[in-house]
Amino acid sequence: MTSRQGPEQGAEPAGKSLFSLQRREKLMDELRAHGSITVRAIAAELGVSELTIRRDVNLLAVEGLVSRVHGGATLPSPLDRTASMTRQQTNRYSIGMVVPSLDYYWPQVISGARAEADERQAKILVRGSTYDAADNRQQVQALLTTQNINGLIVAPDTTGEAGRELLRWLNSLPIPVVLAERRSPIEIPAHRLEWVATDHAFGAGMATRHLWQEGHRKIGCMTDSNSPTSAHVVRGWLQALGALRIPAAQSVNEDSAHVPTSDRAEHFDRILQLCRETDTTAMLVHSDTQAVAFVQHCVDRGVDVPGSMAVVGYDDEVAYLAEPAISAVRPPKQYVGRLAVQLITARISEGPKRPVHRVQLNPDLIVRDSSLGGPRSSARALEDSL
Amino acid sequence: MTSRQGPEQGAEPAGKSLFSLQRREKLMDELRAHGSITVRAIAAELGVSELTIRRDVNLLAVEGLVSRVHGGATLPSPLDRTASMTRQQTNRYSIGMVVPSLDYYWPQVISGARAEADERQAKILVRGSTYDAADNRQQVQALLTTQNINGLIVAPDTTGEAGRELLRWLNSLPIPVVLAERRSPIEIPAHRLEWVATDHAFGAGMATRHLWQEGHRKIGCMTDSNSPTSAHVVRGWLQALGALRIPAAQSVNEDSAHVPTSDRAEHFDRILQLCRETDTTAMLVHSDTQAVAFVQHCVDRGVDVPGSMAVVGYDDEVAYLAEPAISAVRPPKQYVGRLAVQLITARISEGPKRPVHRVQLNPDLIVRDSSLGGPRSSARALEDSL
DNA sequence: GTCAGGTTGTTCGATCATGATCGATTGAGA
DNA sequence: TCTCAATCGATCATGATCGAACAACCTGAC
């Protein structure tokens, strides 16, 4: 509603008179930028009398937003004895949240975010989107224009030129932005973006090492390149193979992204065939739903799990439902949501002086039956069973 | 983010006068960093009379925030009978902290950690060590056996086999461990180690891009391979060169680690010579102390800074002291300490269910005079001046 | 037009922060 | 234990800053 001028008011000290609210905003900006202000300097800069500024400072001090000192004000300091003891104000922020899916993975992230927001008396406004940059932007835009939000948590598509452009745009928004389960590239244009993401490469590595420790010496990987997670899983798997001195070139690495459900059985048969040919006795399967289907297929084909084919799923939504129950890597989804809210609220209250935070969380490995015991009678069993 | 900052800012002696509250905060910072202060030193540093400092100390002593001693003040000691008995209940946690240096870089990290610990009613026990794995271990061992600590913050040597072994040992300790300004490798044996570290590569990249934007097209790098930071600085610099399409192979990249002070002038002359030969008009210099010496040398040799040689220092301890004042990358040291304490206390109270956190913080670029304006008359001026 | 309510500016005595002086006190070394 | 230099605190002077009271101004409602 109020049209703001440029970042610096520039040449007109006494130009358009600001409303008191804008004055106080400006004052807080200066304060956050420099850590302190003098009444005199601000009064001169805004072209108002010092008394007016003093009144503003008093007002802000009552709200606990600044500490009054003789001659000016500083950021609230614990040394400030006059600080009101009623710390927890009606500090309610509105935080927008745009996630690419409302039925897979993200509900738990949202739940974590909501829990944290409750504790901080903030409100979360969620919008579902897709895994597509254009739609991401549309949803964010909708939040920005229809709601009055103080910060944004978003899990955008970061791939391709559209993804990079989207990141640049997010980086330039006037409100703080935190990416969830996404990283900003090292490029400068996104230098303000903070993020919290699960270290999926670590998780994949952990799963691979677990299979190795159980006795498997050929470990394959089944991916779903539809998901942005898959690239990290493959990276972690390859890294682990390297560390374990397993030749990656001969390892089974199949993608199921574009296999229609009708061809799934055939697809799995081909993978089992590949495993037999390469003596592969264990598979890391991205998306546990896929893992459940794969284990089911193995059981149907008489392939013993885990005796002839050990399976670790990546992600842990339904892995426990299979028979046998599937070991799975479990990303700390609740914590991702919680942390995103923590980052955004801290950023809103501390301003740009706070350094940009980028957090990785390690997933857990939940060991169930599908990966225990090591290969039994090696590839023979698998061969016999077919 | 990049912030423009006048010459007066920070801790310079005769700079802008601070408010009393800020003085007291600064005083507490110093106190937390070093454990004690002298009235004289603080008075000199802040450019105020000793009486003023004494008054501040009295004030803080009345609030129980310091213990007065003859000539200065110390952190509140239980032996101090004058302390108001309004103290809260006993500390909830004791946190050990082992840092490789007590006079460079780390005091500010300690100060941040102590400040955060105060707010969480925890106690920090600091031990100075060296940049050597064996001594790191000894100091940690000493803390473990002589004190009853609930968690450990440590900045160990992570290089070589000794470093890896040390990390394995730290990972296996029965108490939570957080690394400060160090990362654990992707290796599994350190999978429980959490860390918080400045993204020095990002900082170096930011500095390089800043120089590029100022018009420099050949940007060199001077390192100090004694420091564990240097490798990251070089990495960030090279990355940025790549992104800016500056050929790295022909770029000046010199190390000053093993140059004795006596040969320094000669060493700098050689670097200037190299810059002339390669048309290099800007240098990123690791450790701002080195940058100060380098700028001094340039001025002595009649090389105009920033006209003929622009300089950005890495680290911002003394960069503002040079003439001209040196632009510098400033790591968020206070925040590193704060965050380390946050991580360790959260880990202690939430237990192993909490996922492993690994946090990177971005440094700031403080732009001063030594890098502004771009190359003037290119390499000619540099050549003429020699 | 007028009046109420809000915001801003001016004046001036009160208050505050700081430094200088100078005895009183302290404590480390002889 | 003694001594002496360093440190401390009471007091005052000075200049800057603050706040109460009132005046001026703007705005919108009736």
Side-chain angles (χ1 to χ4, degrees), chain B residues 18 20 23 48-49 51-52 55 70:
Chain B
L18 297 169
S20 69
R23 229 178 21 236
V48 297
S49 78
L51 176 54
T52 302
R55 281 197 265 243
H70 201 84

Side-chain angles (χ1 to χ4, degrees), chain A residues 262-275:
Chain A
S262 53
D263 300 349
R264 199 193 249 168
E266 198 180 311
H267 181 235
F268 284 163
D269 276 336
R270 218 187 63 244
I271 291 174
L272 281 176
Q273 177 65 30
L274 268 171
C275 289

Side-chain angles (χ1 to χ4, degrees), chain A residues 39-40 51 54-55 58 68-72:
Chain A
V39 168
R40 173 163 301 182
L51 178 54
R54 249 180 256 126
R55 284 198 261 243
N58 285 347
R68 295 195 43 194
V69 294
H70 205 86

Side-chain angles (χ1 to χ4, degrees), chain A residues 51-370:
Chain A
L51 178 54
T52 303
I53 299 300
R54 249 180 256 126
R55 284 198 261 243
D56 288 338
V57 169
N58 285 347
L59 220 152
L60 293 169
V62 169
E63 306 195 11
L65 295 170
V66 306
S67 286
R68 295 195 43 194
V69 294
H70 205 86
T74 70
L75 290 172
S77 154
L79 301 181
D80 183 6
R81 249 184 296 96
T82 71
S84 57
M85 298 300 119
T86 58
R87 284 304 300 145
Q88 303 301 346
Q89 299 277 346
T90 54
N91 224 358
R92 40 180 53 99
Y93 303 125
S94 284
I95 300 167
M97 191 163 176
V98 175
V99 299
S101 159
L102 286 174
D103 38 60
Y104 178 70
Y105 199 101
W106 294 95
Q108 286 197 61
V109 178
I110 295 169
S111 146
R114 282 247 160 80
E116 187 71 28
D118 278 354
E119 288 170 24
R120 294 165 181 268
Q121 289 154 14
K123 196 171 59 173
I124 303 266
L125 298 160
V126 178
R127 284 188 83 101
S129 179
T130 66
Y131 289 88
D132 166 66
D135 187 62
N136 291 159
R137 179 157 175 169
Q138 226 164 50
Q139 299 299 333
V140 171
Q141 196 69 264
L143 268 179
L144 288 173
T145 53
T146 65
Q147 312 281 342
N148 186 22
I149 59 173
N150 310 103
L152 185 64
I153 297 170
V154 54
D157 175 19
T158 62
T159 59
E161 185 45 48
R164 275 196 295 280
E165 174 52 31
L166 177 58
L167 286 177
R168 270 192 286 271
W169 180 69
L170 289 171
N171 185 58
S172 69
L173 288 181
I175 56 170
V177 175
V178 170
L179 306 185
E181 290 293 18
R182 301 287 186 273
R183 295 133 210 264
S184 65
I186 324 114
E187 297 165 42
I188 277 287
H191 62 104
R192 287 175 53 212
L193 291 180
E194 305 190 277
W195 48 257
V196 46
T198 304
D199 191 344
H200 293 304
F202 178 92
M206 185 164 48
T208 308
R209 280 163 215 268
H210 161 67
L211 289 168
W212 194 83
Q213 277 175 350
E214 289 292 321
H216 301 278
R217 290 298 172 269
K218 287 295 192 78
I219 300 164
C221 182
M222 198 189 311
T223 62
D224 175 1
S225 59
N226 278 336
S227 152
T229 303
S230 232
H232 296 116
V233 172
V234 172
R235 184 161 50 85
W237 169 67
L238 287 172
Q239 242 166 29
L241 290 190
L244 298 170
R245 306 199 190 293
I246 302 175
Q250 304 155 36
S251 295
V252 177
N253 182 10
E254 290 291 307
D255 193 85
S256 312
H258 305 296
V259 178
T261 321
S262 53
D263 300 349
R264 199 193 249 168
E266 198 180 311
H267 181 235
F268 284 163
D269 276 336
R270 218 187 63 244
I271 291 174
L272 281 176
Q273 177 65 30
L274 268 171
C275 289
R276 222 179 325 136
E277 287 167 6
T278 56
D279 282 347
T280 300
T281 56
M283 290 290 288
L284 170 61
V285 183
H286 179 210
S287 119
D288 64 337
T289 52
Q290 198 74 234
V292 169
F294 183 60
V295 165
Q296 187 56 53
H297 184 85
C298 288
V299 171
D300 289 351
R301 286 286 188 271
V303 176
D304 179 38
V305 176
S308 306
M309 175 57 66
V311 173
V312 175
Y314 198 92
D315 213 340
D316 190 32
E317 299 261 338
V318 293
Y320 64 95
L321 290 175
E323 185 53 44
I326 301 178
S327 301
V329 178
R330 176 191 291 172
K333 301 174 200 174
Q334 294 264 347
Y335 273 91
V336 170
R338 294 196 92 100
L339 210 39
V341 170
Q342 283 173 24
L343 289 181
I344 205 91
T345 53
R347 167 66 56 202
I348 293 171
S349 61
E350 292 181 43
K353 214 179 136 191
R354 175 183 161 93
V356 168
H357 285 51
R358 293 170 171 184
V359 187
Q360 293 204 24
L361 300 180
N362 285 355
D364 250 352
L365 176 62
I366 311 295
V367 177
R368 300 198 181 87
D369 295 332
S370 73

